[in-house]
Amino acid sequence: MSLFDHKLAELHELMQKKEVSVTDLVEESYKRIDAVEGKVKAFLTLDEENAHAKAKELDSKIGTDEAKGLLFGMPIGIKDNIVTKGLRTTCASKILENFDPIYDATVINKLRDAETVTIGKLNMDEFAMGSSTENSGFQKTSNPWNLDTVPGGSSGGSAASVAAGEVPFSLGSDTGGSIRQPAAFTGTVGLKPTYGRVSRFGLVAFGSSLDQIGPITRNVEDNAYLLQAIAGVDANDTTSADVEVPDYASALTGDVKGLRIAVPKEYLAEGVGEDARQSVMAALKLLESMGATVDEVSLPHSKYGVATYYILASSEASSNLSRFDGIRYGYRTPNAENLLDLYKKTRAEGFGDEVKRRIMLGTFALSSGFYDAYYKKGQQARTLIKKDFEDVFENYDVIIGPTTPTPAFKIGEKIDDPLTMYANDILTIPVNLAGVPGISVPCGFSKDGLPLGLQIIGKHFDESTIYRVAHAYEQATDFHKQKPQL
């Protein structure tokens, strides 16, 4: 049995009793990485020397008041688009292959305050653009449940590292489903918080009005503790919200009596596979038997979600990625003859195909002749999608459906068909457009033995109710206890 099979609270208790040390946990992590990383390929950079030094320092504090926090001494993996001072941050892109940041993201400062130990930086789709982690500029990550399948994306490394038992939890980022979709594919628990709940300062920007950092864990309880540590307003991020952060753990009552659950008919419509549909229906039946009420509703504008998202996210990406020009940091072409040549060749050589595709789409949508037809229209559609959620939440506590239409697909299966790949996020994208929180929890397995995810969506800043439903469901099932056999 791995130490990471214990919940966070159990590990903390063992540490307080001095039955386990921080060094034990860090060694467990690197030992597991040595054993399985050749197959999974979740990490881009390891920080072994600093992690062992930090573990040694923290071991001297065990038994004192400084070691009281639940996250004290816990190993964690960080998605490689969250900047870490002195630890390489590449966004899985050649254009940042030599970038060592000079400051920490706010979430990293919060984790340092909680005395966690950073194990390394995790693979992802380049600049978080993708749904399979096949768009990484350095390596393809495999799904621990079946090494021939993708772990999802863009936080594929973050989800795979947790599923493979390399770290007990990790941080990812979610712009259109990039935490929830890989969590569903790998049988882990992934939360996209309300937009503004967690500071984006130090998260390399993709779509600034959509991006959110969130936790990926093995169970709902650990997820709540990790969100507790990273949530809150931040003076460095004007989009972070000054809303009180509640005690999420107190919501984990196991009780859903009287809760009203909405099931959008669009989330179980054509295109959603039978395995996903059946697992969600079974989950709803179980929640109903526990005292919740379940009704079918409609989110009529969700069908425009994918088109709206790719116009808006690509437009924001076009603007955000203009800073990567070979002048200030990152890769610079050695073949330039003049300044314009430097810009063109640096970006042509440094960015991958998917990033170029989205930059061009976004630049087109923002151009003077097409702005009203595309970008403005996209913002109008976004308002309608947000209104759909607000209308449903007037009468219901949560919205439930599948996280993804299908289980994980094979590596290489969709990489040459961008439109099919984009459609994979059809159930997660509306949540980002509306800015509401959503979580994916394991809810069964396909006929091929691959995990399936249940998506629970809540009102703005009401992560507590999402956790309440997710935890109650988790306690009544054992899907989260099953692990891949690597």
Side-chain angles (χ1 to χ4, degrees), residues 40-364:
V40 178
K41 296 185 172 65
F43 282 89
L44 287 176
T45 307
L46 294 174
D47 197 22
E48 200 160 351
E49 189 177 331
N50 288 327
H52 282 300
K54 180 72 172 174
K56 196 174 177 183
E57 175 199 325
L58 295 181
D59 279 338
S60 66
K61 298 180 181 179
I62 294 176
T64 71
D65 285 345
E66 291 182 77
K68 294 295 184 195
L70 267 178
L71 290 176
F72 177 88
M74 298 297 162
I76 187 166
I78 307 294
K79 187 175 179 178
D80 205 30
N81 61 345
I82 299 171
V83 300
T84 42
K85 186 177 180 179
L87 180 59
R88 189 145 295 180
T89 301
T90 69
C91 293
S93 177
K94 185 181 175 185
I95 211 159
L96 283 177
E97 64 184 351
N98 61 354
F99 177 57
D100 296 322
I102 57 172
Y103 70 99
D104 279 321
T106 295
V107 290
I108 301 300
N109 282 326
K110 284 176 175 275
L111 290 175
R112 289 200 199 288
D113 290 343
E115 304 273 36
T116 62
V117 182
T118 299
I119 295 300
K121 305 298 289 289
L122 293 154
N123 195 27
M124 55 184 280
D125 284 300
E126 184 181 4
F127 283 102
M129 298 180 191
S131 308
S132 65
T133 314
E134 293 172 283
N135 292 326
S136 167
F138 303 117
Q139 63 190 34
K140 288 181 172 64
T141 299
S142 290
N143 190 329
W145 288 90
N146 179 338
L147 297 171
D148 294 330
T149 62
V150 301
S154 62
S155 307
S158 298
S161 65
V162 174
E166 296 178 307
V167 284
F169 38 71
S170 65
L171 288 187
S173 69
D174 193 311
T175 307
S178 288
I179 287 173
R180 289 158 291 148
Q181 187 248 25
F185 279 4
T186 60
T188 52
V189 176
L191 175 91
K192 196 256 347 158
T194 306
Y195 183 79
R197 173 61 90 190
V198 177
S199 171
R200 292 186 300 111
F201 179 74
L203 173 69
V204 179
F206 162 20
S208 303
S209 72
L210 301 155
D211 301 337
Q212 267 294 274
I213 296 169
I216 297 177
T217 59
R218 285 190 167 192
N219 58 73
V220 174
E221 186 182 307
D222 289 3
N223 205 282
Y225 287 134
L226 192 49
L227 180 64
Q228 190 85 47
I230 63 172
V233 68
D234 175 23
N236 289 320
D237 176 13
T238 54
T239 63
S240 71
D242 192 3
V243 177
E244 185 185 351
V245 179
D247 176 12
Y248 294 119
S250 65
L252 310 181
T253 60
D255 173 32
V256 292
K257 280 192 183 70
L259 276 180
R260 298 159 302 170
I261 296 171
V263 184
K265 61 184 181 184
E266 292 83 3
Y267 281 29
L268 292 170
E270 187 183 348
V272 175
E274 200 54 33
D275 287 341
R277 191 197 318 274
Q278 293 300 332
S279 67
V280 168
M281 297 307 289
L284 291 167
K285 201 169 178 182
L286 176 60
L287 289 166
E288 212 167 16
S289 73
M290 294 163 69
T293 59
V294 177
D295 293 318
E296 186 182 86
V297 298
S298 178
L299 295 172
H301 297 98
S302 61
K303 63 187 175 187
Y304 304 117
V306 172
T308 300
Y309 171 83
Y310 280 99
I311 292 291
L312 300 182
S314 298
S315 297
E316 293 182 17
S318 166
S319 174
N320 280 323
L321 270 62
S322 63
R323 70 193 68 173
F324 302 105
D325 54 12
I327 302 295
R328 288 155 292 184
Y329 43 71
Y331 173 77
R332 178 184 295 183
T333 182
N335 308 313
E337 292 176 12
N338 54 49
L339 184 61
L340 190 59
D341 210 31
L342 173 70
Y343 292 150
K344 286 181 175 179
K345 287 186 175 173
T346 292
R347 290 167 68 80
E349 294 164 16
F351 288 137
D353 288 347
E354 183 60 30
V355 174
K356 290 174 186 171
R357 184 182 292 123
R358 297 198 196 190
I359 288 172
M360 288 193 293
L361 174 61
T363 304
F364 172 78

